[in-house]
Amino acid sequence: MPSAGATNGPRRARPLASPGDDTRRAVAAASQPVALWQQLEAVAGALQAIRGGQSGTAALVAVEAGLRPGVQSLLFQVLRQAGRAEALRRQMVARTPPPAADALLCTALALCWNPDESPYEPFTLVNQTVEAAKRSASTRAQSSFLNGCLRRFLRERDALVARTDGDPLARWNHPVWWIERLRKDHPGHWEQILQANNAHAPMTLRVNVQKSSPALYQKALAAINLEAERSGDAGLVLAHPVPVQSLPGFDQGWVSVQDAAAQMAAPLLLQGLDLTQPLRVLDACAAPGGKTAHLLELAGADAPMQVIALEIDSTRSARIGETLQRLGLRAQVVVADAARPQDWWQQHCDGALFDAILLDAPCTASGIVRRHPDVRWLRRESDIAQLATLQARLLKTLWPLLRPGGRLLYCTCSVFRAEGDAQVQTFLAHNTDAQLLPSPGHLIPGNGDKPGAVPDNQPGDHDGFFYALLQKSPQ
């Protein structure tokens, strides 16, 4: 996952926390009946905040608690269709409206442009959008304009949509620079990546093998009528997302929520290591602690393995402790910058070399857009180079802390090659004591089992990711 665990790099995209959303169900299931205009007003406010560079998570925190479930679900749909909405607005309006009015207009267009996917009847959405405009001081002056614009859209929808079909922004709902980057990086599969990004991600679980097994936990789910399919050695993909409180034994640490791609990290790093011998393992950018916990689960309670979980952000660091406590696991959690070992290596690690290092480096999060749809609108093209520079710095800084013969697993939740293949090839060219072991490389988001999937993609449904396992020469 994107991490703040190593530096003060670009921070525009602390993305939305994904609820495993289904817009129609979530809106209908809102705990308190709420007027639709109130939800639309809040969605537009969140969209405006995201356009201004604020993360979706922060934007939603500002929403009244009673409104938040429905607003979050509608916001996800708006973010997945924001490119189409902007293209339609350009067809109808010569000059961009003021920010608040434009956000409300694009919210309505995103939700009603395709009646087959609209959570409400388009006429209802238009009426309630105009009502929202009238009730807000920031949009009241534009309410008549919004009414005229949206009713024109209802009359001329087919023609307006057809005129935007050739616009890449409208077709793919990603910034044009992002689309072009994917075409260059993945010429045979860029369309598949974009399609996956606009789809709903499944809710995937990782069974704690110290307390249960995937087979047993699958039976426990079936007993409460929750369907799930096996995924990897310890994973289960739910047919429908549910609140974690509905999962058997969640509070007792039987299971965690973690995407199938992220579940590959711990097994990759530990493969080939003798877990009966004392091992020192560094999780360099550890928050929120999922991979730290997975390492400890796989090692077992009796393994003489010491894990140091490093995280620069004290708030995010606290989440590591909460994760480990729920799962009944222990690690040494250190609040420090992985890129400055002079601040923590001697003090907390006695200056001893590590047998294994997990570097889940800060990245653009371009592989997890289906879970965090705000990322595509928060990121700037220049962020790729900035983050790649940071990743190179982390690799250079942490490599000397690895013992001869030790292993470093470099990973990012990105599909951009500058943060994956290109990064590792540059590192290998400058470090002759490094060997690239068999690794997954770039994983493409989506279902690897479906027809037309990338041939070397992992089976099952997973996010986009990159993995490179590096071994230091034994000298």
Side-chain angles (χ1 to χ4, degrees), residues 459-474:
D461 196 307
H462 53 73
D463 289 339
F465 237 82
F466 175 82
Y467 283 108
L469 183 61
L470 304 166
Q471 185 168 36
K472 182 177 282 190
S473 300

Side-chain angles (χ1 to χ4, degrees), residues 116-368:
D116 293 336
E117 297 181 1
S118 177
Y120 298 93
E121 289 295 329
F123 282 104
T124 300
L125 283 166
V126 168
N127 289 336
Q128 291 296 292
T129 298
V130 175
E131 185 67 20
K134 291 178 180 178
R135 289 176 178 261
S136 172
S138 62
T139 54
R140 190 173 298 125
Q142 289 82 37
S143 60
S144 295
F145 159 77
L146 290 172
N147 182 54
C149 194
L150 288 171
R151 295 196 183 281
R152 176 195 167 191
F153 171 75
L154 292 181
R155 293 192 305 270
E156 304 175 19
R157 178 172 51 217
D158 291 346
L160 289 167
V161 169
R163 289 207 293 269
T164 62
D165 282 340
D167 186 336
L169 178 68
R171 172 70 178 84
W172 298 109
N173 288 291
H174 285 68
V176 174
W177 70 260
W178 190 303
I179 299 168
E180 293 305 314
R181 174 73 66 148
L182 287 181
R183 287 173 68 106
K184 177 182 177 182
D185 285 358
H186 302 281
H189 306 289
W190 64 275
E191 291 178 307
Q192 179 186 333
I193 296 172
L194 292 169
Q195 288 169 351
N197 286 353
N198 288 324
H200 297 277
M203 185 174 182
T204 304
L205 310 178
R206 185 192 76 240
V207 178
N208 184 349
V209 294
Q210 291 192 29
K211 298 188 176 185
S212 185
S213 71
L216 287 175
Y217 198 78
Q218 191 173 24
K219 291 181 180 179
L221 291 173
I224 57 173
N225 298 316
L226 292 179
E227 298 180 21
E229 294 183 357
R230 293 287 298 273
S231 175
D233 294 334
L236 292 169
V237 180
L238 296 179
H240 303 289
V242 297
V244 293
Q245 293 78 13
S246 303
L247 298 172
F250 181 82
D251 289 337
Q252 291 73 40
W254 293 6
V255 70
S256 298
V257 178
Q258 187 180 44
D259 183 75
Q263 290 186 35
M264 298 176 64
L268 274 169
L269 184 61
L270 295 181
Q271 67 181 7
L273 298 179
D274 186 353
L275 298 180
T276 65
Q277 298 299 313
L279 292 174
R280 293 171 58 83
V281 179
L282 173 67
D283 187 351
C285 305
K291 297 181 183 68
T292 302
H294 199 190
L295 287 167
L296 293 165
E297 290 172 8
L298 291 178
D302 298 327
M305 185 173 79
Q306 179 189 12
V307 177
I308 293 89
L310 207 63
E311 172 60 43
I312 191 174
D313 187 303
S314 59
T315 301
R316 285 169 57 79
S317 179
R319 295 184 60 192
I320 303 174
E322 294 167 1
T323 297
L324 296 176
Q325 182 177 12
R326 181 180 65 82
L327 295 169
L329 302 168
R330 296 183 64 184
Q332 182 182 355
V333 181
V334 178
V335 179
D337 185 347
R340 292 181 52 83
Q342 64 269 30
D343 295 341
W344 54 267
W345 188 38
Q346 288 288 346
Q347 179 181 355
H348 297 284
C349 307
D350 300 322
L353 297 176
F354 295 101
D355 299 287
I357 297 175
L358 171 58
L359 174 54
D360 184 7
C363 70
T364 57
S366 59
I368 56 173

